[in-house]
Amino acid sequence: MSTPSSSWTTDVFGKQAAAVRLALGQGLRNMQANAQAAQEQAASRTTRTYGTSRYENQYERLQDELKDLPGARAVQPFGFSYELMLIGNGLLYPFRYSKTKADVRSARIPSESRLVREIFTFAPAPKHTQDPFDLDFGPAVPVAEPRGALATVPQGTQLVLVPFACNASELLEAYWGIAALGMNRQLEWTTDPEPLHLPQSVTSYTLRPISIPNQAAAHTSFADGTEPALTLSSRTASDQALHVPVQTEAEPIEDQSSEDDATH
């Protein structure tokens, strides 16, 4: 689906704006597919496996789709396990804002961690700041100096948010846009959050291997088993005189075990 690029996207990403937009939608689709696969293999009654996989994939699958664009660079914040993608003048930050369809304009950032505060140094300044004479205002968002690779991000870079809604059953919707971090984790959008196209096809699908525990004892083949003892006996003279046929097989022995023995 082709959608004309908005002016803010071309200002941030230049001629690659459309390619970045398509790559984000594809990366999120791949994220959902991999997270659902992990949940299915876990066969868990909770969705904890889905949540863990989804969080990991929201960074790694987007990086897969974006890394080959000209000028793309992975940036790893200090103390963070994953990398954010820097393309043109845009630093991309994906996050889940809801498990159901909800108004993205009222979305809140998931947390106000030191990492989030560092990332939002590349966002516009919030319109509403704390008034020291008004006790009804919430606490102001403290400023945090970028560390690690974030400290190498060029001046003029703009933080581009990629909020999406999903759950273990489906990927619902996704957007991108620029916003300031206001009080109480509230986002103040300076651009209209634009919907991203989410394709149905999956281009990066990784099934997580199932771990098989070590066996306590090694298995042997049939040929390695203990040979049965053979009992040989000679025929009596009377059997030989009466031409009694030779008995080549022993009489069957009745099995004294039962299925109950295996289950109790």
Side-chain angles (χ1 to χ4, degrees), residues 141-156:
V141 179
V143 176
E145 191 71 20
R147 299 170 297 171
L150 281 179
T152 68
V153 173
Q155 292 290 329

Side-chain angles (χ1 to χ4, degrees), residues 36-44 49 206-210:
Q36 287 179 316
Q39 178 67 31
E40 182 179 354
Q41 288 198 5
S44 173
T49 302
T206 304
L207 286 175
R208 296 191 173 190
I210 298 176

Side-chain angles (χ1 to χ4, degrees), residues 39-260:
Q39 178 67 31
E40 182 179 354
Q41 288 198 5
S44 173
R45 285 178 287 184
T46 71
T47 58
R48 186 174 303 170
T49 302
Y50 166 83
T52 301
S53 178
R54 187 269 306 165
Y55 182 75
E56 173 184 305
N57 278 276
Q58 74 186 37
Y59 300 106
E60 295 186 348
R61 300 292 75 78
L62 265 63
Q63 183 174 349
D64 288 345
E65 297 298 319
L66 294 164
K67 64 184 180 181
D68 292 331
L69 293 179
R73 176 162 71 95
V75 176
Q76 186 166 16
F78 178 82
F80 193 52
S81 300
Y82 307 102
E83 295 174 318
L84 304 179
M85 293 304 296
L86 176 64
I87 303 175
N89 295 322
L91 179 66
L92 295 159
Y93 178 54
F95 65 94
R96 184 172 73 172
Y97 76 94
S98 179
K99 295 181 182 180
T100 60
K101 283 192 175 183
D103 185 4
V104 71
R105 295 179 185 276
S106 61
R108 294 172 181 254
I109 208 73
S111 70
E112 263 184 34
S113 64
R114 171 67 188 261
L115 169 65
V116 168
R117 296 198 303 270
E118 291 181 27
I119 291 173
F120 270 86
T121 60
F122 301 100
K127 295 179 182 178
H128 301 96
T129 57
Q130 184 179 16
D131 184 345
F133 301 102
D134 191 342
L135 299 180
D136 291 335
F137 275 78
V141 179
V143 176
E145 191 71 20
R147 299 170 297 171
L150 281 179
T152 68
V153 173
Q155 292 290 329
T157 296
Q158 298 189 60
L159 178 66
V160 178
L161 303 179
V162 186
F164 58 90
C166 69
N167 53 53
S169 298
E170 57 184 329
L171 176 61
L172 298 167
E173 54 192 1
Y175 300 85
W176 69 339
I178 296 175
L181 181 58
M183 294 174 295
N184 299 319
R185 299 184 287 113
Q186 187 71 46
L187 294 175
E188 299 176 1
W189 293 96
T190 59
T191 68
D192 288 330
E194 299 180 13
L196 294 171
H197 172 60
L198 301 173
Q200 293 301 314
S201 60
V202 177
T203 60
S204 174
Y205 185 75
T206 304
L207 286 175
R208 296 191 173 190
I210 298 176
S211 176
I212 301 176
N214 293 330
Q215 303 298 314
H219 293 287
T220 57
S221 64
F222 175 78
D224 293 333
T226 304
E227 293 184 3
L230 301 178
T231 303
L232 303 177
S233 61
S234 60
R235 299 174 65 205
T236 63
S238 59
D239 285 347
Q240 295 181 26
L242 296 174
H243 302 288
V244 175
V246 178
Q247 184 176 350
T248 59
E249 295 184 1
E251 292 293 334
I253 300 174
E254 183 179 356
D255 189 1
Q256 299 300 313
S257 66
S258 67
E259 292 182 0
D260 289 340

